[in-house]
Amino acid sequence: MDWNALKLFLAISEGGSLAAAAKKLGVNHSTVFRRLNSLEQDLGGRLFERHTHGYELTSTGKGIMTLAQNIAKEFDNLERRVLGKDATPSGVVKITAPNNIAYHFLPRYIAEFHQHYPDIQIELLVSNQEFNMNNRQADIAVRATPNPPEHLIGKALCEISWGVYCGEGYAKKYSPPKKLDTLHQHKLISGSGSMIDLPSFSWLEKNVPEKIQVRCDDLVSMSYFAEADLGLAFLPDDQQRPGIKRLFTYTPAAKSKLWLLIHPDLRNLQRIKLVMQFLASSFRKDERL
């Protein structure tokens, strides 16, 4: 079994289908089908049971799964160590960042960075989900969190508080609140989905659920609901922008820090260091934070 065959096996087992594996590997469905048949013929046994709902490992497949994962991990380690010794300021740097940071901060920073380092290409992965930094799905993660993952290293850029925000029209039409005990007099925008467990929104659900007009699982969308004068939004201060007005600090919310994070094996790669240093300087100089 060569490395490409191993990647094929892992892609099918992790994705559960040929279509998912094809998408991950960047090839078409028929190529995955053909390579799997060839691999099973070489090994002399079936690795997957074919079902209408997808592909499941056979006992033979399960037997080699752990070994395949360990080999893949070692290949990833080798790649990171080789890349970490590269001293040429060129190539691709993958950055993952949440929606708001990607929309309102990074475009300006990246445009300025390219004026200094035109040979370094930036690939921006916009997501609020955690990427696997071990296999280089992303090189640099921009994350607002009180506790970054222990397997990553990085820089804490600033502390982020939360505020109560409203739209300009809402502020003109109503008398905006100045403290928590008057929130029951206003329409409110709260979280949903995974956000409902955040202290910011669990406090609202516990204390003033009857005043909640709309719920949403995305902070950027909440800011636009506020701009549309649907009610008061409860947002981290990195969401500040024209169109919404900060009224006061929202104390039920836990403060977090904005971090730049990388895998330790990439710390000496020059293009990663250059991007990290430039982003850190840009964030720290930004008056919006």
Side-chain angles (χ1 to χ4, degrees), residues 86-100:
D86 181 15
T88 304
S90 63
V92 178
V93 176
K94 299 178 183 179
I95 303 172
T96 176
N99 296 353
N100 180 62

Side-chain angles (χ1 to χ4, degrees), residues 38-63:
S38 176
L39 175 60
E40 289 181 327
Q41 288 177 6
D42 290 343
L43 294 178
R46 293 173 69 86
L47 300 176
F48 296 94
E49 294 290 354
R50 282 71 164 169
H51 300 289
T52 55
H53 60 272
Y55 279 51
E56 293 183 357
L57 288 168
T58 62
S59 58
T60 300
K62 291 177 181 178

Side-chain angles (χ1 to χ4, degrees), residues 33 67 70 80 96 114 129 144 154 183 190 206 211 217 227 229 239:
F33 178 78
L67 177 61
N70 289 337
R80 288 198 308 271
T96 176
H114 274 159
Q129 303 300 315
L183 289 182
S190 186
K206 179 180 179 181
K211 302 303 294 184
D217 66 351
E227 185 178 0
D229 300 328
Q239 296 281 344

Side-chain angles (χ1 to χ4, degrees), residues 102-269:
Y103 298 161
H104 299 135
F105 293 86
L106 291 183
R108 184 189 306 172
Y109 300 169
I110 293 172
E112 186 177 350
F113 178 82
H114 274 159
Q115 294 178 11
H116 298 279
Y117 304 101
D119 293 331
I120 297 178
Q121 302 170 13
I122 302 297
E123 182 176 334
L124 181 58
L125 307 170
V126 182
S127 176
N128 293 317
Q129 303 300 315
E130 297 295 331
F131 277 78
N132 189 336
M133 305 286 282
N134 288 327
N135 63 11
R136 298 196 66 241
Q137 287 183 335
D139 300 313
I140 298 173
V142 184
R143 285 289 178 262
T145 176
N147 300 302
E150 293 183 358
H151 67 285
L152 302 179
I153 61 173
K155 302 176 181 180
L157 303 175
C158 60
E159 191 172 67
I160 300 177
S161 298
W162 284 58
V164 179
Y165 290 81
C166 72
E168 298 292 343
Y170 191 96
K172 293 177 181 178
K173 186 175 181 179
Y174 303 100
S175 176
K178 297 181 179 179
K179 52 185 179 179
L180 283 178
D181 60 10
T182 57
L183 289 182
H184 66 280
Q185 301 172 9
H186 295 269
K187 300 175 182 179
L188 307 178
I189 301 165
S190 186
S192 64
S194 60
M195 285 193 172
I196 201 68
D197 294 325
L198 293 178
S200 319
F201 304 118
S202 60
W203 188 92
L204 295 177
E205 298 291 340
K206 179 180 179 181
N207 292 278
V208 282
E210 72 282 357
K211 302 303 294 184
I212 296 172
Q213 300 295 301
V214 62
R215 293 176 174 85
C216 181
D217 66 351
D218 177 71
L219 293 171
V220 175
S221 298
M222 290 182 200
S223 74
Y224 280 95
F225 279 133
E227 185 178 0
D229 300 328
L230 278 171
L232 306 180
F234 304 83
L235 303 167
D237 287 337
D238 63 297
Q239 296 281 344
Q240 293 189 64
R241 59 176 180 78
I244 56 175
K245 178 180 180 181
R246 192 182 197 276
L247 303 176
F248 60 91
T249 298
Y250 184 51
T251 53
K255 290 183 178 180
S256 61
K257 291 182 178 180
L258 187 65
W259 289 82
L260 284 179
L261 301 167
I262 62 170
H263 193 281
D265 288 348
L266 298 181
R267 75 179 84 189
N268 295 321
L269 182 58

